[in-house]
Every structure is written in C-alpha cells, then in structure tokens.
Amino acid sequence: MRWSQTLIPTIKEVPSDAEVPSHQLMLRAGLIRQLMAGAYTYLPLGYRALRKAEAIVRQEMERAGAIEIHMPALQPIELFERTGRREAFGNVLINFDLKRGDRRVHLALGPTHEEVVTDLVSKVVTTYKQLPFTLYQIQTKFRNEERPRFGVLRTSEFLMKDAYSFSTSVEQLNDAYDAMYAAYCRIFARCGLEYLPVEAESGPIGGDASHEFMVPAGNGEDTIVRCPKCSYAANMERADTGRQLPAIGQPADCAELTKVDTPNATSIEQVSRMLNCEPSQLVKTLIYSADGKPTAVLVRGDHEANEGKVRRALGAASLELADEDTIREVTGAPVGFAGPVGIKCPIIADHDVPQIVNAVTGANAADAHYTGVNVGRDYQLDTTFDLRDADNGDPCPRCDGTLEHVHGIEVGHVFKLGTKYSKSLDAVYIDEKEDRHPIIMGCYGIGVNRIIASLCETRYDDNGIVWPLSIAPYELLIIPLNIEDEEVMSVANRCYDELTAAGVDVLLDDRKARPGFKFKDADLIGIPLRLVIGGKGLQEGQVELKWRWADGPDKVPVDSAVSEVLSQLDAQRKAEAEKVPQ
RNA sequence: CGGGACGUGGCGCAGUCUGGUAGCGCGCUUGACUGGGGGUCAAGAGGUCGCAGGUUCAAGUCCUGUCGUCCCGACCA
C-alpha cells in the first residue's frame, strides 16, 4: 500500500481526552477514531492489526479442533429470561422492542452467546454419538457498559472470539478446556503479548474451573495476586491468603473491656487517629445482608473484606452490604459503630481477627468504641474463615514466598460451565442406555480488540508504538527520502513491487514530505522493519535497514536490499515463533 | 449511579474571575527558499465560542436548564 493512497491520520499532539498510553497512541498513530463514549471506528492501520490478531485466533482455534460458526447478534429476550440472565445482566444487556406488523418483538443485542449456542445445540444434538465438539465464532458483542473507559480497553461494542464446548463427561470437558487453555497460550504468545494465566472465580464447579489470561499493565483494571517465587497467580476475587488456621483462644494478658467516646469517628482512619492506635489493632465490622439475613463480618482494620469469599463462607446466593435500617436494628447504633460485642446477629470472622489482642471495635452505640476487646471473653467464635483480599506481603498459599499485587488487562477467559445453560435451555443427549443427560459445557472468550490495545499499552517508547511482526499492520515501511529524485523513487518502487510480490506486507511512504517528518511518523505507527532510500546512500550504492527497536540502521547494498529484507523478516518470524509453546 | 473536571476553527490551548471588535501554536491552501529526525519566509482559508432559555444597550464571559466527553469510585455474565 502506498501511504498517499490510504488513510493514516497521525496526530502530533496528544488528544486531551486520552489518558492511558494505548488510547493516546492508537489515536495519534491513526489506528482509531472515536464516535462516542465506548465506540470507536477502526481506521485502515488499526483494522489491519485487528484482522491479523483475528487470523491468529482463528488459526489456533482450528488447530485446537474448534469449528467456526456465525450466530446472530440479534437475539430474542426470551432466551435470557429462561436462563435468568436478563436479570443478572441488568442494565448491561442492550434490549429493545420492535414493531413487526401488529405485534411487538422484544430483542437483545448479544452480550455473549451462551444462550444462543445452547439453544442451537439443543435443537441439533440428540445422541452421545454427536459429542463432544467445540464451536466458536468471532463476532461483535454489545454491552451497555455503565462506564466505558480507557479508550478501546473498555467499550460498549467489541470484537470477541467466543467458543463453547459440549461434552458428555467431565473428562471430555477437561480435555476441551485443556485444549483451549493451550490454544490461548499459543495465541497470546504469537501476538507478542506477555501474558499471565491466573486462577479466577470458578462458580459452582469449583477447583481449577476457571482461568483468566491477563496482560500485566499498570493501567489494567484487574488486580492480580501472584507469587514471584512459584507460579501461583490468581485474580484478587479468589486469591488465597496463605494464612494458617490459628487456634482460637483467649489471650493471656487481657486488658479490661473499656467503652470510650469517639464522637463522629466512623471510619477506621478516624478511629485509629482519635485513639492513637494502628488500623491493624481495629476490628472492622461489616453488616452484610446474606440472602436477606443480616450477618456481621469481621476483618482486621487494615484489611479489605472480599465479598466472593464471604459469599462462599456463608453459602449465600446473594450478598450485599446491609442498608442503614438493618444496621440500626442489629447494632442499635448508626452506621459506623458496629462491633461484635453484644451484636444481635450471627458473626463470622477472618482468620486474622481473633489474633488481635486488646482490639478496638465499635461499641454498637452512637459515638462510642470499645478498647480491650478479646475473643473468648467479649465475643465468641467457633471458627474463622479466609474472608479478605490477599494483601501485598501476605504469605503465598503454595510455597514460602510472599504475594504481590500486579495490575492486568483481561484478554481471555476460559471457564468450565457445567450444566447451567444446558439444564435451563433443555440441551440434552441420550446415552447408550437411552438415559437423558444435560450436556456438559465450557465457554472460552478472547477480547480481540484488547489484544491490540494491550500491545499498544505495553509495547511503546517515547516515539510511538513498537509492534511485534505478527500483528503489525504492515511488516515493512519503505521511506524514499525525496520522492522527486527519480533514482530514489525507482529503487523504492522496485523494492516495493518485488517485496509485495514476495508476499510481504509493505507500506510505501510516497508522501512529499521532509525526511524528519517521515521518520517521526514511521516511529509513531511502529512498523517493525524500515527501509530508507536516500540520494546520498544511493551514491554509495547503499540503502538503510532498521528494526523499530534497534538503535541504528544497517547499511545494505542496493542490489541485495530485497533479499536482505526477506531474510531478516524470516529470521524475525522464527525468533517470534520460538516463544510460542507447542 | 455518587464525586470531580472540561466543552472556543481539524488538533492542543488562551480569553470567562472583572461583560464592550474572537486570539495563539500546530495542521491546512498557494508561492518561494530548503531538503537525513515533526524546516524558513510571505500571502491566505477556516470558528453563530456544545445547545436552549434568561439578565443586559451589549454575553465566549453573568444566571438557569440541557446535551456531550474525560477522570475517580460503585457496577461489570
């Protein structure tokens, strides 16, 4: 492609709306333009990169034995009502009424396709002989994000590869899951991403039923807990703290239980300042409503309660912080003064809570706290749970290492679904004995746009994007320094023609512009290999070849320019391929 | 949904407090010079200051409302 024949609107100054690097670079390099919050047009360069990522995803899906289909984005709302996800999605599900003749139809724009694919399979599969298989598609998904942000990282419309496996046994499900897991590793490695598979919320099946693929990045929305010493990595939602179960016993040297005035001090910070103690000396008492029943959850003052863990510990289907009236009812005090001593509801506590000797807690009375609170004497616990977020510095649950937090962008998610959808949508098969069973499912998603955004978020320097060869919109950029110099242009055109014919993705900067201007644009759009053809060089019979990440150019004889480009591209492709797991 | 910020040529911004001829840089057009890391000079084009209403002799500027965008938080199968 000739630069003058395509549309690459680069921008010198950083658009004021863009904050994160990927957003700034994608706008500046002319990859995308915004239509509205959460909706972007992919311009030629951005779309080429996106399609390259898509091609890699497709190749690896096929290699893993998945079969491609294409399902409608328009879906009847009724399917979501049958699985209960209309309510679960809530406002995120984009849905609307349409008039068709004298009747109305209620439709949704697919936020994902579990319902549609399960409905399809329920109508097509009858016997175990047809199973197992895995279907996939690459398609635009729609979600009414409450708050789209970070440019293209979180949008209300995005390209997703979604795959669904259908099996008759847990063993078959595990095989499909493992195949997808391996394919994902290959995909992200081929795309040149640094990725981290982390354990994620696994739902009803438990165990290792779910992994997220994260790209470590400072601006990632997710917090990952990982151990630098072993391979343990988990989403904050489910990361274990590695705390040993402590014995619950009344400590030896207890202070007296004392009620102290703490006017208007409702936060951990205010109380610790007023009473001149560390937040770790406090017990944070949170009143939750678990399936409608109030429960007090105790964690140490400097810890954060983890709602997923609380929900699992209580075996509750729904969990939310209790409203003000409930809090007054069980504590007899306004919000901010709850404590375990004399509270009128069940208590569960994190492992670290009974370890606090002479703790400070709310006194269940307005403007008052207790000091000298001790388990066994002032309140009772039978057992403790892991109820809090794993913290920086916590012990690793798998080895003697120390956990640390990193932020990440979720680019993929693999999940063992079980029979949730097949049961509600009646997707069953008959076995050898003519018994009917719900099909066992798995689902596997990749955010294709996020592959591009994560690359831009992690691979750049002061001058612009640094694409890997595998995803770069073009592999080679030819820059003739002076397009009015006939010899320069004839060499440039010859290289362009020969390399294009050889199957290389070549962009030729045929714009009438000064060299410095072209170099700046070249670095900004980040094409991996750059071939510079200038009048001075040609007088010495030489052209220049430079990788985007290299310090300086290599001089190459004009006559061997084409072969040198081909062999260097080949070597780079091999180098990138070596990082891909088998 | 709670909190905050911002809407002025294509982009980045000043002007708003204290009402009185709409400005700067980049980009764009034309010409000349220049020609290896976002050039120089000259001459131009381009904006009903997000929108609506109000106050005023007079509104980019003050008031009310509204729409939009971004950031923090909540939410996120």
Side-chain angles (χ1 to χ4, degrees):
Chain A
M1 177 58 74
R2 290 167 195 274
W3 196 304
S4 65
Q5 306 293 306
T6 183
L7 185 62
I8 308 176
T10 57
I11 307 171
K12 181 147 60 167
E13 292 181 86
V14 179
S16 61
D17 281 349
E19 189 118 332
V20 299
S22 60
H23 193 199
Q24 294 183 353
L25 287 167
M26 290 177 80
L27 285 168
R28 290 222 297 133
L31 266 50
I32 54 167
R33 276 299 147 94
Q34 184 180 46
L35 175 64
M36 57 181 184
Y40 289 82
T41 296
Y42 279 74
L43 297 170
L45 283 189
Y47 194 48
R48 285 185 70 94
L50 192 66
R51 282 190 355 240
K52 290 207 172 179
E54 203 181 312
I56 289 174
V57 169
R58 188 171 276 118
Q59 283 166 17
E60 294 299 333
M61 283 298 107
E62 300 288 330
R63 179 183 153 119
I67 34 187
E68 186 169 19
I69 60 172
H70 192 81
M71 292 179 273
L74 277 176
Q75 313 177 353
I77 196 81
E78 183 246 339
L79 278 181
F80 290 92
E81 281 163 353
R82 282 170 67 188
T83 58
R85 284 216 298 179
R86 180 173 183 188
E87 201 185 3
F89 272 117
N91 197 237
V92 172
L93 185 68
I94 298 176
N95 65 103
F96 45 88
D97 276 319
L98 281 182
K99 215 169 112 157
R100 282 195 181 155
D102 57 355
R103 67 204 169 90
R104 303 202 71 84
V105 289
H106 196 162
L107 302 178
L109 285 177
T112 172
H113 278 68
E114 279 85 1
E115 279 82 1
V116 174
V117 78
T118 309
D119 176 71
L120 170 80
V121 168
S122 77
K123 290 166 177 164
V124 164
V125 170
T126 50
T127 160
Y128 72 96
K129 292 179 185 170
Q130 292 171 287
L131 297 167
F133 58 74
T134 298
L135 300 173
Y136 81 98
Q137 65 171 352
I138 297 173
Q139 196 208 33
T140 303
K141 302 287 190 256
F142 299 88
R143 295 180 195 187
N144 180 37
E145 291 293 345
E146 297 287 321
R147 186 184 157 208
R149 57 176 144 179
F150 301 141
V152 111
L153 278 172
R154 188 164 201 80
T155 53
S156 15
E157 185 185 322
F158 56 96
L159 196 63
M160 180 170 170
K161 186 287 299 176
D162 46 326
Y164 307 90
S165 67
F166 298 86
S167 316
T168 60
S169 67
V170 171
E171 291 70 37
Q172 279 185 4
L173 169 65
N174 289 342
D175 287 347
Y177 186 91
D178 293 346
M180 282 296 127
Y181 188 104
Y184 277 34
C185 292
R186 289 179 52 84
I187 287 167
F188 299 127
R190 283 183 66 185
C191 290
L193 281 170
E194 283 201 26
Y195 66 96
L196 193 63
V198 310
E199 296 177 14
E201 268 304 332
S202 51
I205 288 189
D208 60 348
S210 174
H211 288 86
E212 288 167 340
F213 287 79
M214 298 284 192
V215 174
N219 290 302
E221 285 189 281
D222 292 273
T223 303
I224 306 160
V225 177
R226 76 158 163 193
C227 172
K229 201 166 169 182
C230 67
S231 62
Y232 183 75
N235 194 304
M236 178 72 102
E237 291 163 4
R238 69 150 289 158
D240 297 326
T241 57
R243 177 70 66 212
Q244 298 298 313
L245 288 180
I248 302 172
Q250 191 178 327
D253 48 346
C254 293
E256 261 182 63
L257 182 66
T258 310
K259 195 171 186 176
V260 292
D261 287 339
T262 52
N264 296 320
T266 58
S267 71
I268 293 291
E269 193 182 301
Q270 288 166 334
V271 174
S272 61
R273 203 177 322 123
M274 191 174 284
L275 299 180
N276 198 21
C277 62
E278 293 298 317
S280 58
Q281 192 65 26
L282 274 64
V283 173
K284 200 190 289 188
T285 306
L286 300 159
I287 313 299
Y288 276 95
S289 175
D291 293 337
K293 279 177 278 187
T295 304
V297 174
L298 311 183
V299 295
R300 214 169 73 185
D302 57 333
H303 289 157
E304 292 298 323
N306 179 307
E307 293 198 0
K309 292 179 177 180
V310 172
R311 184 181 298 121
R312 279 193 295 278
L314 293 170
S318 82
L319 184 79
E320 55 187 4
L321 280 170
D323 56 39
E324 220 173 308
D325 291 344
T326 309
I327 291 172
R328 278 181 184 277
E329 209 171 285
V330 299
T331 66
V335 177
F337 300 98
V341 183
I343 197 164
K344 297 195 259 328
C345 69
I347 298 171
I348 63 168
D350 180 71
H351 295 320
D352 287 335
V353 169
Q355 303 295 91
I356 309 171
V357 178
N358 300 327
V360 176
T361 76
N364 296 323
D367 298 330
H369 279 74
Y370 282 125
T371 61
V373 178
N374 289 285
V375 71
R377 181 190 69 186
D378 306 317
Y379 67 100
Q380 306 302 320
L381 292 175
D382 297 328
T383 184
T384 57
F385 301 88
D386 178 6
L387 296 179
R388 65 176 176 90
D389 287 342
D391 220 342
N392 257 327
D394 271 335
C396 173
R398 300 279 169 79
C399 74
D400 61 353
T402 301
L403 296 178
E404 62 180 28
H405 286 180
V406 289
H407 286 278
I409 300 164
E410 183 186 347
V411 289
H413 195 167
V414 292
F415 200 101
K416 295 179 187 173
L417 280 174
T419 54
K420 177 179 175 190
Y421 296 97
S422 49
K423 273 182 180 158
S424 53
L425 294 170
D426 205 29
V428 298
Y429 66 94
I430 55 164
D431 64 15
E432 303 91 319
K433 296 169 191 150
E434 283 193 40
D435 288 333
R436 295 163 64 83
H437 303 281
I439 301 175
I440 300 172
M441 294 173 54
C443 69
Y444 318 91
I446 288 181
V448 185
N449 312 260
R450 280 188 177 176
I451 292 178
I452 304 304
S454 313
L455 283 170
C456 293
E457 193 68 33
T458 53
R459 299 182 48 133
Y460 63 91
D461 62 17
D462 290 346
N463 295 316
I465 301 169
V466 183
W467 290 110
L469 191 57
S470 56
I471 297 292
Y474 291 95
E475 297 167 302
L476 174 72
L477 175 62
I478 300 177
I479 302 182
L481 289 183
N482 181 355
I483 65 163
E484 282 162 342
D485 182 323
E486 279 181 25
E487 195 189 350
V488 165
M489 274 318 281
S490 98
V491 172
N493 281 323
R494 183 174 56 82
C495 290
Y496 175 76
D497 290 341
E498 290 180 18
L499 286 162
T500 301
V504 178
D505 286 333
V506 191
L507 181 63
L508 173 64
D509 190 351
D510 59 345
R511 295 174 300 172
K512 182 180 183 330
R514 296 167 63 87
F517 189 91
K518 291 187 173 187
F519 289 141
K520 286 290 185 189
D521 261 357
D523 285 348
L524 180 57
I525 69 171
I527 306 303
L529 190 57
R530 190 184 82 184
L531 177 63
V532 173
I533 298 163
K536 287 178 192 164
L538 283 188
Q539 282 172 14
E540 298 161 20
Q542 289 183 320
V543 293
E544 286 168 17
L545 208 49
K546 178 184 174 298
W547 288 99
R548 174 65 177 80
W549 46 82
D551 287 336
D554 293 327
K555 289 194 192 304
V556 173
V558 188
D559 295 338
S560 56
V562 168
S563 60
E564 184 61 24
V565 166
L566 288 174
S567 76
Q568 289 216 16
L569 284 174
D570 201 43
Q572 180 60 26
R573 285 194 197 101
K574 286 197 175 110
E576 288 187 4
E578 271 174 24
K579 294 177 185 160
V580 179
Q582 280 309 305

